[in-house]
């Protein structure tokens, strides 16, 4: 009998491919909509969007010292194991301190063997929640400045101080004035990054309360009226 000779051709497992299907879109109140196409010979099993800060200046010539890591966005796949398809993910990043900053976004796709493919970086401004009330807007701007560079503490203190220099002239209500001064002194006493992050969180809470106060009051009044009707 003749010896049988088997010949095998190894097909290399190529890394996945991922790319934006269209430019990122900001939604009504600042959410981020991503559309992307993925492709792999055996199937993509995971994907994410990563972000890198662009154009943020530090203090006194030093690199900025961010208090927060980049947003973490896991991308939804069209199928559990996608060989070829287009997916969409909506992520609300408005509370993240990077909202409103210029960033370079890279999409990453991973197959079951651990091979990774990356998109070309896409530079754009991350969408942010719109604020219409001047003090709320100023608070969010200073919050972002502090969150992106812990060494900007003195600059933010000066800005907070300026907001409360002439409360009568700028028609700052007493409760708002006291809130701003309280945040000012909390920031002045902050000695660690953790304490600075507490101030960042409090600045956001106050800005949202200033912006949404009338809405919240209206919702409470509506609930009270509904409860009164039920009891009647």
């Amino acid at each position: 009998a003749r010896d049988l000779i088997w010949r095998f051709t190894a097909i290399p497992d190529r890394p996945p491919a991922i790319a934006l299907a269209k430019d990122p879109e900001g939604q009504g109140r600042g959410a981020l909509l991503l559309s992307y196409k993925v492709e792999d010979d055996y199937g993509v099993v995971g994907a994410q969007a990563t972000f890198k800060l662009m154009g943020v200046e530090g203090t006194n010539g030093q690199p900025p010292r961010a208090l927060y890591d980049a947003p973490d966005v896991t991308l939804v796949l069209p199928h559990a194991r996608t060989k070829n398809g287009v997916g969409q993910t909506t992520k609300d990043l408005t509370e993240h301190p990077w909202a409103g900053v210029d960033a370079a976004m890279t999409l990453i796709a991973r197959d079951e063997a651990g091979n990774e493919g990356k998109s070309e970086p896409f530079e754009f401004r991350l969408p942010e929640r719109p604020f219409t009330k001047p003090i709320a807007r100023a608070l969010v701007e200073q919050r972002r400045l502090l969150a992106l560079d812990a060494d900007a503490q003195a600059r933010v203190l000066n800005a907070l101080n300026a907001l409360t220099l002439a409360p009568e002239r700028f028609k700052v209500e007493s409760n708002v004035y006291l809130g701003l001064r309280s945040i000012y002194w909390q920031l002045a006493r902050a000695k660690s990054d953790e304490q600075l992050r507490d101030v960042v969180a409090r600045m956001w809470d106050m800005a949202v309360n200033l912006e949404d106060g009338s809405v919240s009051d209206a919702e409470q009044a509506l609930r009270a009226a509904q409860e009164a009707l039920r009891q009647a």
Side-chain angles (χ1 to χ4, degrees):
R2 296 172 58 188
D3 293 335
L4 291 176
I5 299 174
W6 299 92
R7 287 186 174 86
F8 297 94
T9 302
I11 301 174
D13 183 7
R14 295 174 300 171
I18 185 167
L20 283 170
K22 58 181 178 179
D23 288 355
E25 297 177 21
Q27 302 298 285
R29 285 175 66 86
L32 174 65
L33 173 62
L34 298 175
S35 301
Y36 39 88
K37 47 191 176 183
V38 293
E39 185 178 347
D40 186 65
D41 40 10
Y42 292 103
V44 174
V45 298
Q48 67 184 122
T50 63
F51 300 87
K52 181 180 179 182
L53 283 175
M54 303 291 293
V56 177
E57 295 183 2
T59 303
N60 298 325
Q62 300 298 314
R65 191 164 63 84
L67 287 168
Y68 295 84
D69 293 332
D72 182 20
V73 179
T74 299
L75 301 178
V76 178
L77 295 175
H79 313 287
R81 188 188 296 270
T82 303
K83 291 190 174 182
N84 195 321
V86 175
Q88 278 194 341
T89 297
T90 301
K91 180 76 171 180
D92 186 351
L93 298 175
T94 51
E95 288 192 35
H96 196 284
W98 284 30
V101 305
D102 294 326
M105 179 182 71
T106 301
L107 308 182
I108 301 174
R110 186 181 67 260
D111 65 15
E112 200 163 39
N115 298 310
E116 285 189 348
K118 295 182 178 182
S119 70
E120 289 294 321
F122 184 88
E123 296 181 16
F124 71 113
R125 178 159 293 181
L126 292 175
E128 61 184 314
R129 175 188 164 156
F131 285 86
T132 59
K133 297 186 178 178
I135 293 181
R137 198 161 60 237
L139 267 173
V140 170
E141 289 171 358
Q142 294 305 313
R143 167 193 184 251
R144 184 186 303 121
L145 184 64
L146 181 61
L148 296 181
D149 184 15
D151 296 328
Q153 184 174 358
R155 286 176 60 192
V156 175
L157 277 172
N158 287 336
L160 289 173
N161 202 35
L163 287 173
T164 55
L165 278 178
E168 305 85 3
R169 180 180 172 188
F170 298 112
K171 299 179 181 178
V172 178
E173 297 175 5
S174 58
N175 61 327
V176 175
Y177 174 84
L178 291 173
L180 289 172
R181 294 310 293 172
S182 177
I183 289 174
Y184 173 90
W185 286 112
Q186 184 180 353
L187 178 57
R189 297 186 182 104
K191 303 296 183 187
S192 68
D193 287 356
E194 190 59 41
Q195 290 174 338
L196 290 175
R197 281 189 282 267
D198 289 341
V199 176
V200 169
R202 193 166 170 200
M203 292 170 83
W204 175 260
D205 289 342
M206 184 172 179
V208 170
N209 286 334
L210 284 172
E211 185 73 19
D212 293 347
S214 57
V215 175
S216 300
D217 292 345
E219 290 174 347
Q220 289 175 0
L222 178 60
R223 284 196 294 268
Q226 290 171 334
E227 182 62 28
L229 281 173
R230 277 195 294 269
Q231 291 179 358

